[in-house]
mmCIF file of all heavy atoms in Angstrom:
data_model
loop_
_atom_site.group_PDB
_atom_site.id
_atom_site.type_symbol
_atom_site.label_atom_id
_atom_site.label_comp_id
_atom_site.label_asym_id
_atom_site.label_seq_id
_atom_site.Cartn_x
_atom_site.Cartn_y
_atom_site.Cartn_z
ATOM 1 N N GLU A 868 12.574 88.496 101.785
ATOM 2 C CA GLU A 868 11.562 87.544 101.353
ATOM 3 C C GLU A 868 11.608 87.299 99.841
ATOM 4 O O GLU A 868 11.291 86.200 99.372
ATOM 5 C CB GLU A 868 10.175 88.042 101.770
ATOM 6 C CG GLU A 868 9.965 88.015 103.282
ATOM 7 C CD GLU A 868 8.621 88.605 103.710
ATOM 8 O OE1 GLU A 868 7.755 88.819 102.820
ATOM 9 O OE2 GLU A 868 8.439 88.855 104.910
ATOM 10 N N ARG A 869 12.026 88.299 99.108
ATOM 11 C CA ARG A 869 12.077 88.172 97.647
ATOM 12 C C ARG A 869 13.359 87.482 97.155
ATOM 13 O O ARG A 869 13.319 86.661 96.230
ATOM 14 C CB ARG A 869 11.954 89.562 97.013
ATOM 15 C CG ARG A 869 11.879 89.533 95.479
ATOM 16 C CD ARG A 869 11.814 90.931 94.892
ATOM 17 N NE ARG A 869 13.047 91.675 95.148
ATOM 18 C CZ ARG A 869 13.099 92.788 95.893
ATOM 19 N NH1 ARG A 869 12.016 93.251 96.479
ATOM 20 N NH2 ARG A 869 14.254 93.413 96.073
ATOM 21 N N ASP A 870 14.492 87.800 97.794
ATOM 22 C CA ASP A 870 15.789 87.360 97.253
ATOM 23 C C ASP A 870 16.535 86.344 98.117
ATOM 24 O O ASP A 870 17.099 85.376 97.590
ATOM 25 C CB ASP A 870 16.705 88.582 97.035
ATOM 26 C CG ASP A 870 16.084 89.587 96.074
ATOM 27 O OD1 ASP A 870 15.388 89.152 95.135
ATOM 28 O OD2 ASP A 870 16.281 90.799 96.262
ATOM 29 N N LEU A 871 16.551 86.557 99.432
ATOM 30 C CA LEU A 871 17.372 85.691 100.288
ATOM 31 C C LEU A 871 16.648 84.414 100.696
ATOM 32 O O LEU A 871 17.206 83.314 100.592
ATOM 33 C CB LEU A 871 17.816 86.469 101.536
ATOM 34 C CG LEU A 871 18.702 85.702 102.524
ATOM 35 C CD1 LEU A 871 19.998 85.237 101.844
ATOM 36 C CD2 LEU A 871 19.029 86.570 103.748
ATOM 37 N N PHE A 872 15.406 84.539 101.186
ATOM 38 C CA PHE A 872 14.703 83.365 101.694
ATOM 39 C C PHE A 872 14.503 82.275 100.632
ATOM 40 O O PHE A 872 14.733 81.086 100.923
ATOM 41 C CB PHE A 872 13.358 83.758 102.306
ATOM 42 C CG PHE A 872 13.463 84.559 103.580
ATOM 43 C CD1 PHE A 872 12.324 85.037 104.216
ATOM 44 C CD2 PHE A 872 14.696 84.835 104.159
ATOM 45 C CE1 PHE A 872 12.415 85.769 105.384
ATOM 46 C CE2 PHE A 872 14.800 85.574 105.330
ATOM 47 C CZ PHE A 872 13.647 86.045 105.945
ATOM 48 N N PRO A 873 14.088 82.625 99.403
ATOM 49 C CA PRO A 873 13.909 81.565 98.394
ATOM 50 C C PRO A 873 15.201 80.804 98.106
ATOM 51 O O PRO A 873 15.185 79.572 97.932
ATOM 52 C CB PRO A 873 13.433 82.330 97.145
ATOM 53 C CG PRO A 873 12.791 83.567 97.690
ATOM 54 C CD PRO A 873 13.623 83.934 98.890
ATOM 55 N N GLU A 874 16.325 81.513 98.070
ATOM 56 C CA GLU A 874 17.605 80.855 97.820
ATOM 57 C C GLU A 874 17.991 79.959 98.992
ATOM 58 O O GLU A 874 18.513 78.847 98.801
ATOM 59 C CB GLU A 874 18.695 81.900 97.577
ATOM 60 C CG GLU A 874 19.966 81.347 96.967
ATOM 61 C CD GLU A 874 19.733 80.691 95.611
ATOM 62 O OE1 GLU A 874 18.916 81.203 94.825
ATOM 63 O OE2 GLU A 874 20.379 79.652 95.344
ATOM 64 N N ALA A 875 17.723 80.425 100.217
ATOM 65 C CA ALA A 875 18.008 79.603 101.403
ATOM 66 C C ALA A 875 17.142 78.346 101.400
ATOM 67 O O ALA A 875 17.621 77.246 101.710
ATOM 68 C CB ALA A 875 17.754 80.413 102.672
ATOM 69 N N GLU A 876 15.879 78.498 101.043
ATOM 70 C CA GLU A 876 14.976 77.342 100.997
ATOM 71 C C GLU A 876 15.422 76.338 99.932
ATOM 72 O O GLU A 876 15.357 75.118 100.138
ATOM 73 C CB GLU A 876 13.550 77.826 100.710
ATOM 74 C CG GLU A 876 12.920 78.547 101.888
ATOM 75 C CD GLU A 876 11.633 79.281 101.541
ATOM 76 O OE1 GLU A 876 11.269 79.330 100.339
ATOM 77 O OE2 GLU A 876 11.001 79.817 102.471
ATOM 78 N N LYS A 877 15.893 76.841 98.802
ATOM 79 C CA LYS A 877 16.330 75.955 97.705
ATOM 80 C C LYS A 877 17.602 75.202 98.064
ATOM 81 O O LYS A 877 17.699 73.991 97.832
ATOM 82 C CB LYS A 877 16.542 76.775 96.430
ATOM 83 C CG LYS A 877 16.922 75.935 95.218
ATOM 84 C CD LYS A 877 16.993 76.779 93.956
ATOM 85 C CE LYS A 877 18.259 77.618 93.931
ATOM 86 N NZ LYS A 877 18.391 78.377 92.646
ATOM 87 N N GLU A 878 18.567 75.896 98.649
ATOM 88 C CA GLU A 878 19.874 75.269 98.903
ATOM 89 C C GLU A 878 19.942 74.507 100.234
ATOM 90 O O GLU A 878 20.575 73.449 100.312
ATOM 91 C CB GLU A 878 20.979 76.336 98.867
ATOM 92 C CG GLU A 878 21.224 76.928 97.490
ATOM 93 C CD GLU A 878 22.531 77.702 97.427
ATOM 94 O OE1 GLU A 878 23.499 77.289 98.102
ATOM 95 O OE2 GLU A 878 22.590 78.721 96.715
ATOM 96 N N LEU A 879 19.330 75.046 101.267
ATOM 97 C CA LEU A 879 19.449 74.421 102.587
ATOM 98 C C LEU A 879 18.484 73.253 102.756
ATOM 99 O O LEU A 879 18.799 72.275 103.442
ATOM 100 C CB LEU A 879 19.222 75.458 103.689
ATOM 101 C CG LEU A 879 20.235 76.601 103.753
ATOM 102 C CD1 LEU A 879 19.853 77.615 104.837
ATOM 103 C CD2 LEU A 879 21.649 76.075 104.018
#
Side-chain angles (χ1 to χ4, degrees):
E868 291 176 12
R869 185 182 65 244
D870 301 326
L871 181 60
F872 292 177
E874 195 60 38
E876 288 168 354
K877 183 175 76 176
E878 292 194 35
L879 297 177

